[in-house]
Amino acid sequence: MYETSPYAVSVFVAFVALVLWMSYYFARQTKSAKNYFAAGGSIHWAVNGIAFAGDYLSAASFLGICGMIATYGYDGFLYSIGYLAGWIVALFVVAEPMKRLGKYTFTDALDSKFNSREIQLLAAISTLVVSIFYLIPQMVGAGTLVTPLLGLPHWLGVVMVGTIVIIIVASAGMTSTTYVQFIKGGLLIIFSFTLVMLSLYKGLNTKLELADGAPYHEFKSLPVEIDSAGKIVSSDPAFQVVNTFDQGKDLVFVKGVYQGTESWWHLILKENNTGVLEEAYWTKTLLAPVKSKNGSDSFKLYNGVPQRDSLPMQAGHVGLLKYKGETKDHLSQLGPIEFLEGLRDSTIIRFMNKSFADGSDKVTVYYQKATPGRDILRPGLKVKLDEDKGATSADKVNFISLMLALFLGTAALPHILIRYYTVPTPAAARKSTIVAIAAIGLFYVLTLYMGLAAMVNGVVDVTDENMSAPLLAKSFGITIFALISAIAFATVLGTVSGLIVAASGAVAHDLMDRFFNMKLTDHKKVLAGKIAAVVVGIIAMMLGIVFKGMNVSYLVGLAFAVAASANLPAIVMLLFWKGTTKQGISWSIGAGMVSAIAIILLSPDMFERYGLAKASAPHVLNNPAILSVPFSFLVLIVVSLMTKEKSQKALKG
Amino acid sequence: MFVLYSTFYVEFIAINVVSPKIMGSNIGGLNLAVIYGMGLIVFALMLALVYNAICTAAEEELNTPDTGKEK
């Protein structure tokens, strides 16, 4: 658990309150001026551009990418590259031709040409599904943010965000306006920039000190010998081996008692039957609870202490620091290139984890893994690509699939496309997109530095990598930490309420009103929308709790894959192929959506979530895009060809 | 321009898949992976700027804001 400081909490609460008040204030202004967006000229394109960035740089970017870079190095940066590349697709391929059609949203464009009820139904369902998929990572991120700051458990953070947003949406009907997004986006970039500057100034150190002067946990290592019977013998009298656990792949863990307390160690074998035990962090899920300090039952031990009373398990440091061929203690005041150069030549201690059973309890050991900086600065630690390191073709296909989903996903997210059209003139829209690309690009370069700085500064929480960026801020002092968390939290609030509005709109407007032809009065429609918002909000909260600890960027990758499979083929073919029929469109949306979700639900990573063995999953694909996108295209073409004559006859008749 | 960017992007994926070791090779103080990744980001911005310049020029020529979109 994290200790809380009243000062940090008050900075946080004040900032969030300010943002909420601003949204409310601007929302009311919007109401009074009906043609706010139509007249629109009042918003400068540069302001609008930063607002785009504020909207797009959600929890996934700030928390997820930084966290992934902090754990896996360059592989997290692949997400940055893919997300940004997606904007190019949005700008060149989809947005321009759609603008020419005179339509702004996915459903509108499809509807204008065919006016078919099936399309309305499927487009609405797909909007709903994509929104919910996109909401999960936002919720997970929100829970992540409040944990270190307010000292609350993750689930409470999720419930908090959900409740605030539901109240806002259901009571006031918040329009998260351009100015609020502008300020949030701008501040996020400025503070990230500051954080990177501070990190570069601090540089690389082998001796770490945390912000409040507390020393970094010193991981012990014990030399041991292996006797003829294969037993591990330590010369240190304070240490006794209790049991060893061979987990294959050179992973041998030792449960021991050191100075009277239980501890877990990772055995590294050396020559001549000698070895070294390296101290590890560990958590344990107990069958029978123990009492924590306040007397409540605790089923979870962190380093042997009940979870409530434990210290956060933060780790990650430079093992051996080398720069230009020389071994050093520390390097400070580095430039951006020197930082990467130093990191490349050094050895970084990262923490990997392994879970297994210890009697009736389940233990997870977070062990040290010395990684050459060279490997951190290139792909391969998460996505396996090097055949020498055991990469299979399935790994490679997964990688291509992920990059495809990121590339095509942005253009298929309904709420991104709507954003593209909030400015009055085409020229202004274009210019603000460029400002957005510049701002987002800059931010993604910053994520690389924030992630790597978190990796070497002993701040990564081994149980939840999503916290890396806020915890990096914490190592520089409580004020910047509180501010950054508050900005990020406000961004999550903005994104979540936008998504919930979109999803409830899909239910109330597209489904109930148009598809079921319920002919609701305006008043009832609003009511239906609000009820839908509450329901969607509750679903999102539950999913947010279930997916705790999963990297939020990874989850967004899945949302992108679903969006790209369901929506993109329909949009692209509608724009560029005259033979497209309405049946083709409906089938393609349905097929893309169902196949993408089915592949995700049956993937190895999800099986791990269900608590089953990864290997028992029926296939090896973790990201569905490579199969489901072409499949959706194929379905569209085949069905269109099959139904072409019929629809032409219908047109003539 | 989209084709140009796609090619650049596909090449990046291809290098990673076919011979990941090249990504670790050094160029100056950095390795190819970092330079290529940053390159993709900067290139996206450059293309967007060029695109804007072309559209703006076309717009001025035709003197009606809407037709610039035909580019």
Side-chain angles (χ1 to χ4, degrees), chain A residues 310-494:
Chain A
S310 66
L311 294 169
M313 301 203 296
Q314 289 174 270
H317 55 273
V318 181
L320 178 67
L321 183 60
K322 276 199 162 178
Y323 184 68
K324 297 206 189 287
E326 284 176 52
T327 306
K328 306 226 174 203
D329 265 353
H330 68 277
L331 287 169
S332 55
Q333 301 179 35
L334 295 172
I337 294 178
E338 293 162 307
F339 179 82
L340 292 178
E341 220 177 327
L343 193 77
R344 184 195 62 191
D345 297 338
S346 305
T347 303
I348 313 297
I349 308 292
R350 301 182 306 138
F351 281 74
M352 314 302 289
N353 65 74
K354 183 83 195 166
S355 301
F356 47 89
D358 171 29
S360 57
D361 301 330
K362 193 179 153 217
V363 68
T364 304
V365 177
Y366 301 87
Y367 60 96
Q368 304 181 40
K369 170 107 177 150
T371 312
R374 185 171 296 279
D375 287 348
I376 288 170
L377 291 181
R378 61 172 231 194
L381 293 177
K382 186 176 178 72
V383 287
K384 300 263 176 300
L385 292 167
D386 200 334
E387 277 153 18
D388 298 349
K389 289 179 182 153
T392 59
S393 358
D395 292 327
K396 296 192 172 192
V397 172
N398 259 324
F399 168 73
I400 298 173
S401 187
L402 169 69
M403 294 311 277
L404 189 71
L406 296 180
F407 194 48
L408 300 178
T410 303
L413 289 177
H415 73 281
I416 292 295
L417 279 183
I418 297 168
R419 272 272 142 197
Y420 189 76
Y421 292 97
T422 47
V423 276
T425 67
R430 211 169 51 232
K431 280 181 188 153
S432 50
T433 311
I434 290 161
V435 173
I437 292 179
I440 295 168
L442 169 68
F443 181 80
Y444 283 154
V445 172
L446 295 177
T447 58
L448 180 66
Y449 284 98
M450 285 192 282
L452 292 174
M455 178 187 258
V456 297
N457 278 313
V459 298
V460 180
D461 183 314
V462 294
T463 60
D464 190 351
E465 66 188 36
N466 290 326
M467 284 190 218
S468 305
L471 287 174
L472 175 67
K474 195 178 185 187
S475 76
F476 289 110
I478 209 81
T479 309
I480 187 168
F481 169 58
L483 280 172
I484 280 199
S485 302
I487 295 163
F489 191 77
T491 308
V492 173
L493 281 185

Side-chain angles (χ1 to χ4, degrees), chain A residues 82-129:
Chain A
Y83 284 144
L84 193 75
W87 275 89
I88 293 289
V89 180
L91 177 63
F92 289 158
V93 182
V94 179
E96 290 292 320
M98 265 178 64
K99 182 86 178 176
R100 237 179 288 155
L101 267 183
K103 297 296 166 194
Y104 305 134
T105 70
F106 175 59
T107 323
D108 274 355
L110 296 180
D111 218 33
S112 70
K113 194 158 175 189
F114 298 112
N115 195 19
S116 131
R117 288 183 69 209
E118 297 120 70
I119 292 183
Q120 284 168 10
L121 172 69
L122 282 160
I125 293 177
S126 122
T127 305
L128 197 61
V129 169

Side-chain angles (χ1 to χ4, degrees), chain A residues 93-95 97-98 101 104-107 109-110 408-414 417 563-577 580 585 588-589 632-633 636:
Chain A
V93 182
V94 179
M98 265 178 64
L101 267 183
Y104 305 134
T105 70
F106 175 59
T107 323
L110 296 180
L408 300 178
T410 303
L413 289 177
L417 279 183
S565 315
N567 299 351
L568 195 81
I571 300 175
V572 170
M573 295 309 266
L574 176 78
L575 296 172
F576 298 105
W577 189 43
T580 312
I585 299 263
S588 140
I589 297 175
S632 176
F633 268 110
L636 192 150

